[in-house]
Amino acid sequence: MTDSTTLGLVGGLLQAVVIVAGAPLLVGLMRQVRARMEGRVGAGIRQPWRDLRKQFRKEPITPRGTSEVFRAAPVAMVAITLVVAAIAPFVTAASPLPGVADLFVVVALLATGTVAIALAGIDTGTAFGGMGASRETTILALVEPTALVAIFALSVRAGSTNLSAIVDSTLAEPSAVLSPAALLAAAALVLVIVAETGRLPVDNPATHLELTMVHEAMVLEYAGPDLALIELGSAMRSAVYLGLLANLFVPWGIATEAGVLALLVGVVAFVVKVGVLGAALAAAEVFLAKVRLFRVPELLAGSFLLALLAVTASYVLA
Amino acid sequence: MNTVEVALGCAAGSALLAVLAALVVRRRARPAVVGTLTAITGAAGVVAGAAALLGERFAVELPWIVPLSGIALTVDGLGAAFLAVSGAVAVAAAIYGIGYSHHGLDSRGVQATFPLFVLSLLLVPAAGSITTFLVCWELMALTSLVLVVSEHRRRAEVASAARWYAVMTHLGFVAVLIGLLILSAPADGDAFAAVRAAAADLSPAVAGTAFVLCLAGFGSKSGIVPLHAWLPRAHPEAPSHVSALMSAAMVNLGVYGIVRVGFDLLAVDAERWWWLLVLVLGAISAGYGILQAVVSTDLKRLLAHSTTENMGLVLVGVGASGLFASIGSPVLAALALTAALMHVVGHAAFKTLLFLAAGSVLHATGTRDLDSLGGLRTGMPLTTAAFGLGALAASALPPGTAFVSEWVLLQSLIHGLPAPDAAPAAAPTVTVVVLPLAVAVVALTAGLAVVTFVKAFGVGFLARPRSDAAAHAIESPATMLAGMGLAAVAATVLAVAPTLVLPTLGRVAAGLVGSPAPIADAVSVELVGVTGLLSPVLVVVALVVAAVLVVAIPRVLAGRRARREARLWDCGGGPLSPRTEYTATSFAEPLQRVFDTVLQPVQDVDVTHHQESRYLIAAVEYRRRVPDRIERHLYEPVLSFVTRWGRAGRALATGSVHRYLGYGLCTLCALMLLLVLA
């Protein structure tokens, strides 16, 4: 077994565990930051884990008239996110499955998770479920061009869309991080992440008014362990997206060789980077209001322009 | 005797036998006999294609069939790929047709035309001379036209759809005819080999004209915007197994024609602007097609629009390939062409599956309107599973069929730009602009395809039934399920193990552009010449393992309790009626608003007030239509001009016999004069 395979397998397992355990804490941290900035005490960063523990122990409930799609969707969504958590470069630059650790595959896999939940929303046959699914897939469709063109901008430098290759090329050439292309691509990806993880100003994760909900409207019918899976999955998605953003642009600290110390540094660096990004996102949210659903396309068109500029900038300004 | 020859002979023999059987067998047994024989024709086509793809070559001339020029058949790698695809689609459609044909489709005419259509689909890619090609092309157009009108007694729209199809397919034929005649004029004979040899002598203007004419004719067969108007009319109105053949096999032959002319016959004259044109047309078709699919509520029409989208993506690949060849990177050219061919193969599999499943729904409920479907998963679980699989394959999500080909396409587009520090001459300005935009278009179509198929599957098959017909739908007969099953197996195999066909298609593409094979022979999709690695089977395995973990771990940690049923959240207002559900129209409404300026929907709101007071409203009526804009601005002026011209012509026909004799005399004199002068 070669060194990079060992590193990939151990690191992959490690980062999956870190993300599953840490994602609810990330959500707790983001809520706590918001609470403090809004002058509230907050429930503490361990509150999401307490909620999950409570919900996992509850009796599973199936709303009448729903099918297997409704029951399978949370499992599918969490499983997909778990795969991404294991293969993308979070703690180590090597991947346990190099044939899957492609940026296109990762983006498409995460979209598949969204589709599973959207189908479950439609499957309930209620107006809210359909409404949430319709809005979520609309946003998904409009985000896709930005995401892929931003990937294009990133992969031009590395000559590959393989995540490990992109991270390695940034590690080899640190000055590239400050190039206009990288900065523009980062700005575009931030908007993509805001839209995909359902944060302000695209969607309000704390809303309780059905008509303004996007993600929450789709999962309105879930309760008990199913809801716990959805919550865990959403938290993991946030962690995965922030982790990708962090390591695509600031990969330092990531483990490049197999060793206890390197892996430990990798875990700490990853946790710190995602924590800082999450706290920054939460702090920014305090100053933002949700935009109207039909203003979201303008926002996404703006991010698409940034991504396109990133690709052309790598030629014009090189 | 080689395998290709025997298999093609078998195909022709069993097709002719099927025609004979359609004419003599009793009505009750007719669909079964014809369907079985046609399936054998298709299977023989697959065998012939596969044998030719594995390296056997075949050429034959049969001078006695058509006077003057005879028939020449040649099967090379490119033709073999399309031959195998047509054959495979025909097998599934023919078996499905056995069960589907028991409702007015078992007449002699329809049953005898079906095998001829299948045979023509096999012969077009096997044609070895221009005459043979044109004869088979016309046979394909005529037989498909007869099949499209087969249900004209039941629905009035069929006649109008067939008129559109008849006119457009023949205008396309004229374009192809002129284009190919220009090519064959300087050649010694009309065999492809002779045309290829003479192509070097053509002037750039003549070659360009011939290519554009062929592109117009072949593009209209593939439903390329703006020549797509017939496709969303004719494909949905045909019987569903015929729709599958048209949408999954016939449209491919348009692509075949473009590749044959551009990469083979005219390869020496090819210029960069040809391929830019192809790429731009492909991108427009992909975007426009999927936008129309997003907003359509007719299940089969939605699938037809999605065909335009997919053919657009294929042309993006073909155009990019030509572009790369013209800037001197044959490796990328081969990769892009491989992506296009793979997309043709994958599209054939999932579009067959989707059209057959849609036919099954139509068979069970009598409607194609998504707004009155829903809840089919209880009555028709197998059809639901089939459509779900097809929808996953079509929406370019992993692990789906289209994902693999779009991944290869994106890889070729991304590697088209060299690293920024390379010499500036390596990347002409046009590619720096075109390639990122092409990636954006592919991405946007992928995203919109997701919405389209979430809508089609979610609204059509999940949720609760929106009409009595949908509530009482029952599963289709076994032969129809068998046809769908075959297509489902093909789509699954192509999704999980695409390398069964990808390296072979890569060699075909490499042969056309003159480069080493772009895809390695391995279990994973491994690109050669540029870095890129994708392992669809590992994606599936990883997902399954993760799903098992996600189910098992909470059960171990938190224990397992029995499931309980509960009411849906109805805001305390009592059970919800299906009228409160989201429909296909409402599902697509946000996107329709976002793309308002492109789609230009037409809305009418009529408010009827109460007689006594204008403050009280008795009824509100709301109508919304999304007319095809291109059709309105491009076709309607032409149609109205033709109508006016026709009206003006009436003045010439007064009914007087003397006058008509006078016209005859004048024409004769004019002709004589012309001959004398010439």
Side-chain angles (χ1 to χ4, degrees):
Chain A
M1 203 185 271
T2 62
D3 195 42
S4 92
T5 325
T6 326
L7 178 64
L9 285 175
V10 175
L13 203 64
L14 191 65
Q15 65 194 27
V17 172
V18 168
I19 286 181
V20 172
L25 297 179
L26 172 69
V27 173
L29 174 74
M30 290 169 81
R31 286 191 194 150
Q32 190 68 16
V33 169
R34 273 197 77 159
R36 284 292 160 84
M37 291 185 71
E38 287 168 352
R40 293 183 281 121
V41 178
I45 65 165
R46 289 209 312 274
Q47 187 57 34
W49 259 124
R50 289 185 210 118
D51 294 343
L52 285 179
R53 200 180 56 188
K54 183 181 77 186
Q55 278 158 354
F56 268 122
R57 287 178 181 166
K58 283 189 169 182
E59 159 183 54
I61 292 189
T62 307
R64 218 159 276 146
T66 55
S67 69
E68 291 73 23
V69 173
F70 181 81
R71 259 164 285 157
V75 175
M77 196 260 261
V78 178
I80 287 168
T81 320
L82 191 62
V83 169
V84 175
I87 56 154
F90 295 122
V91 171
T92 74
S95 171
L97 305 174
V100 187
D102 181 279
L103 203 37
F104 286 134
V105 179
V106 165
V107 168
L109 272 176
L110 291 169
T112 315
T114 311
V115 166
I117 300 296
L119 284 176
I122 300 178
D123 193 38
T124 59
T126 61
F128 290 138
M131 189 188 293
S134 159
R135 291 174 179 177
E136 183 94 356
T137 47
T138 301
I139 293 173
L140 174 81
L142 298 176
V143 162
E144 203 87 328
T146 314
L148 263 60
V149 175
I151 293 174
F152 192 171
L154 289 174
S155 63
V156 165
R157 188 156 33 88
S160 165
T161 52
N162 189 288
L163 281 162
S164 308
I166 296 175
V167 167
D168 285 342
S169 93
T170 315
L171 284 174
E173 198 188 345
S175 62
V177 170
L178 289 175
S179 70
L183 292 177
L184 286 165
L189 273 183
V190 166
L191 281 173
V192 166
I193 288 169
V194 164
E196 289 272 5
T197 52
R199 310 295 308 189
L200 285 170
V202 174
D203 186 12
N204 185 354
T207 184
H208 287 285
L209 179 64
E210 290 95 336
L211 289 176
T212 61
M213 292 181 189
V214 180
H215 179 78
E216 297 297 318
M218 282 195 296
V219 301
L220 205 59
E221 294 295 335
Y222 281 108
D226 294 335
L227 180 63
L229 278 181
I230 298 258
E231 298 277 336
L232 180 63
S234 307
M236 285 166 64
R237 277 171 74 91
S238 303
V240 161
Y241 272 115
L242 291 179
L244 276 177
L245 182 69
N247 278 352
L248 284 176
F249 296 98
V250 195
W252 291 281
I254 198 165
T256 46
E257 59 200 53
V260 178
L261 191 65
L263 284 173
L264 202 64
V265 171
V267 172
V268 172
F270 173 65
V271 169
V272 168
K273 277 184 275 190
V274 171
V276 168
L277 272 178
L281 197 60
E285 277 190 333
V286 175
F287 302 99
L288 286 175
K290 183 179 178 303
V291 299
R292 276 178 58 217
L293 182 67
F294 292 105
R295 299 287 301 278
V296 171
E298 295 169 19
L299 195 70
L300 297 177
S303 73
F304 172 69
L305 264 181
L306 289 179
L308 206 58
L309 278 176
V311 177
T312 37
S314 53
Y315 288 90
V316 180
L317 303 177
Chain B
M1 284 289 238
N2 68 14
T3 326
V4 183
E5 191 174 356
V6 175
L8 269 185
C10 282
S14 66
L16 296 177
L17 210 59
V19 174
L20 193 69
L23 299 177
V24 297
V25 174
R26 278 179 305 117
R27 183 176 279 261
R28 279 190 63 190
R30 200 180 291 149
V33 175
V34 173
T36 313
L37 285 170
T38 313
I40 293 173
T41 309
V46 176
V47 171
L53 277 176
L54 293 177
E56 279 195 44
R57 287 292 170 265
F58 165 71
V60 70
E61 285 197 30
L62 308 164
W64 43 271
I65 294 188
V66 177
L68 293 180
S69 71
I71 288 285
L73 296 177
T74 317
V75 182
D76 60 358
L78 177 67
F82 285 87
L83 178 65
V85 169
S86 298
V89 175
V91 175
I95 293 176
Y96 180 92
I98 298 175
Y100 195 75
S101 294
H102 278 294
H103 302 273
L105 294 171
D106 49 4
S107 69
R108 281 201 181 88
V110 173
Q111 291 287 321
T113 315
F114 185 65
L116 276 181
F117 180 41
V118 168
L119 184 63
S120 69
L121 287 174
L122 299 180
L123 288 181
V124 168
S129 71
I130 284 179
T131 317
T132 316
F133 183 84
L134 289 172
V135 167
C136 297
W137 188 262
E138 186 57 13
L139 180 69
M140 178 176 85
L142 290 179
T143 47
S144 58
L145 182 59
V146 170
L147 291 170
V148 167
V149 295
S150 57
E151 288 186 307
H152 71 100
R153 279 179 218 279
R154 282 208 237 161
R155 294 190 307 275
E157 310 87 68
V158 174
S160 138
R163 267 200 300 276
W164 273 89
Y165 178 40
V167 171
M168 291 202 57
T169 192
H170 280 98
L171 289 179
F173 180 73
V174 170
V176 172
L177 181 74
I178 299 175
L180 291 181
L181 285 183
I182 293 176
L183 295 187
S184 69
D188 176 27
D190 71 339
F192 282 165
V195 172
R196 204 174 295 139
D201 304 334
L202 292 173
S203 75
V206 173
T209 315
F211 181 76
V212 169
L213 281 168
C214 289
L215 179 63
F218 291 132
S220 88
K221 191 54 103 187
S222 294
I224 291 307
V225 173
L227 302 171
H228 66 293
W230 64 276
L231 195 145
R233 288 189 163 79
H235 285 208
E237 296 303 340
S240 295
H241 57 305
V242 179
S243 309
L245 271 177
M246 290 173 77
S247 233
M250 192 173 79
V251 290
N252 297 344
L253 298 180
V255 175
Y256 167 75
I258 293 170
V259 175
R260 174 65 78 193
V261 170
F263 280 95
D264 182 18
L265 300 182
L266 280 180
V268 285
D269 305 287
E271 285 178 56
R272 189 175 296 163
W273 67 266
W274 297 10
W275 299 116
L276 273 177
L277 181 68
V278 171
L279 202 156
V280 169
L281 283 179
I284 293 175
S285 305
Y288 194 76
I290 197 66
L291 260 183
Q292 292 287 336
V294 164
V295 293
S296 54
T297 55
D298 177 324
L299 186 54
K300 284 179 78 176
R301 216 179 152 94
L302 178 148
L303 295 178
H305 282 304
S306 137
T307 301
T308 294
E309 175 233 336
N310 282 294
M311 287 301 117
L313 287 177
V314 170
L315 284 200
V316 169
V318 172
S321 171
L323 194 63
F324 291 139
S326 79
I327 61 173
S329 38
V331 176
L332 287 175
L335 194 62
L337 195 56
T338 312
L341 292 177
M342 185 62 196
H343 201 72
V344 165
V345 175
H347 173 250
F350 68 71
K351 197 45 71 69
T352 309
L353 179 58
L354 287 169
F355 259 117
L356 297 186
S360 177
V361 171
L362 179 62
H363 180 264
T365 63
T367 180
R368 309 187 310 224
D369 185 7
L370 282 171
D371 285 350
S372 54
L373 291 172
L376 296 175
R377 54 161 196 253
T378 41
M380 314 176 72
L382 294 174
T383 303
T384 304
F387 195 91
L389 188 68
L392 174 67
S395 47
L397 292 174
T401 319
F403 180 73
V404 179
S405 46
E406 292 196 15
W407 183 83
V408 179
L409 178 61
L410 285 171
Q411 290 295 337
S412 74
L413 293 177
I414 280 187
H415 286 101
L417 292 187
D421 42 5
T429 328
V430 63
T431 54
V432 178
V433 180
V434 166
L435 295 184
L437 286 177
V439 169
V441 169
V442 174
L444 184 65
T445 31
L448 292 176
V450 169
V451 183
T452 308
F453 286 99
V454 165
K455 179 184 87 168
F457 181 62
V459 175
F461 294 81
L462 305 180
R464 284 172 297 149
R466 296 177 182 80
S467 67
D468 282 346
H472 299 113
I474 49 163
E475 194 57 274
S476 302
T479 45
M480 286 169 67
L481 293 176
M484 280 189 266
L486 279 178
V489 169
T492 314
V493 168
L494 287 174
V496 178
T499 39
L500 288 178
V501 294
L502 253 177
T504 316
L505 293 177
R507 276 190 288 276
V508 170
L512 284 172
V513 296
S515 86
I519 309 239
D521 284 297
V523 179
S524 332
V525 182
E526 206 178 327
L527 309 186
V528 179
V530 291
T531 47
L533 178 68
L534 170 73
S535 175
V537 65
L538 276 183
V539 173
V540 176
V541 171
L543 286 179
V544 171
V545 170
V548 170
L549 285 177
V550 171
V551 173
I553 291 176
R555 284 200 180 167
V556 172
L557 292 183
R560 188 182 174 187
R561 296 174 65 177
R563 271 193 178 266
R564 186 165 67 83
E565 281 215 338
R567 261 170 65 189
L568 282 167
W569 169 237
D570 50 21
C571 305
L576 297 167
S577 89
R579 279 183 62 89
T580 60
E581 284 182 81
Y582 246 48
T583 58
T585 314
S586 42
F587 191 85
E589 205 268 351
L591 270 178
Q592 185 213 306
R593 262 208 229 189
V594 172
F595 292 100
D596 207 29
T597 42
V598 183
L599 291 168
Q600 291 194 337
V602 182
Q603 309 199 30
D604 291 322
V605 183
D606 285 345
V607 181
T608 317
H609 295 282
H610 231 275
Q611 274 185 332
E612 272 119 51
S613 162
R614 289 199 39 92
Y615 293 107
L616 299 174
I617 289 170
V620 179
E621 202 179 306
Y622 170 80
R623 276 185 306 273
R624 192 211 66 179
R625 233 159 32 87
V626 188
D628 190 327
R629 240 181 115 185
I630 294 183
E631 202 175 298
R632 203 168 40 183
H633 294 299
L634 195 69
Y635 289 78
E636 279 182 13
V638 175
L639 287 180
S640 70
F641 173 75
V642 170
T643 315
R644 261 184 285 130
W645 192 244
R647 290 238 169 82
R650 265 191 210 163
L652 293 172
T654 54
S656 148
V657 177
H658 299 105
R659 201 160 170 169
Y660 294 159
L661 286 174
Y663 291 152
L665 184 68
C666 291
T667 317
L668 194 66
C669 292
L671 203 65
M672 294 283 199
L673 210 62
L674 198 70
L675 285 176
V676 168
L677 290 178

